[in-house]
Amino acid sequence: LEFRRVLFRSVLKANVWSVATCSDVPNVVPVGFKDVTEDGLLVVGDVMMDTTVKNVQANGKIAVSAFDPKTSEGYQVKGTAVYQTEGP
């Protein structure tokens, strides 16, 4: 299980993410300003993401996917997001 967690983290850290949110219509954006914290939280930098931010503030629903084209390994994470402007 720990080995799988390391692979999961390395794919997320090394590759661009697709971040999906929704309101009345789906919204997907590629994200390069991102990180995975030590405790496993996914962090995304808000760079020209107006629709994504509005959707997160409205309902918090989010999906993130990352894919390593060299190994064909990919992951999708679904959950709830919170928009924060301050913090560590």
Side-chain angles (χ1 to χ4, degrees):
L1 181 62
E2 189 62 35
F3 177 69
R4 194 75 177 145
R5 187 176 301 171
V6 169
L7 288 175
F8 171 77
R9 185 182 296 268
S10 67
V11 169
L12 286 172
K13 281 189 165 278
N15 295 281
V16 172
W17 296 355
S18 294
V19 174
T21 59
C22 62
S23 60
D24 293 336
V25 295
N27 178 63
V28 180
V29 294
V31 174
F33 296 106
K34 43 57 174 181
D35 198 9
V36 181
T37 66
E38 288 299 317
D39 57 354
L41 292 176
L42 306 184
V43 179
V44 175
D46 173 12
V47 180
M48 305 287 290
M49 296 178 66
D50 295 340
T51 301
T52 301
V53 169
K54 287 176 188 173
N55 291 346
V56 166
Q57 290 174 324
N59 64 34
K61 295 179 182 179
I62 194 165
V64 175
S65 69
F67 175 78
D68 184 342
K70 295 175 189 166
T71 64
S72 295
E73 186 168 8
Y75 298 96
Q76 175 179 268
V77 179
K78 296 178 184 178
T80 303
V82 176
Y83 185 73
Q84 292 182 297
T85 58
E86 297 178 1

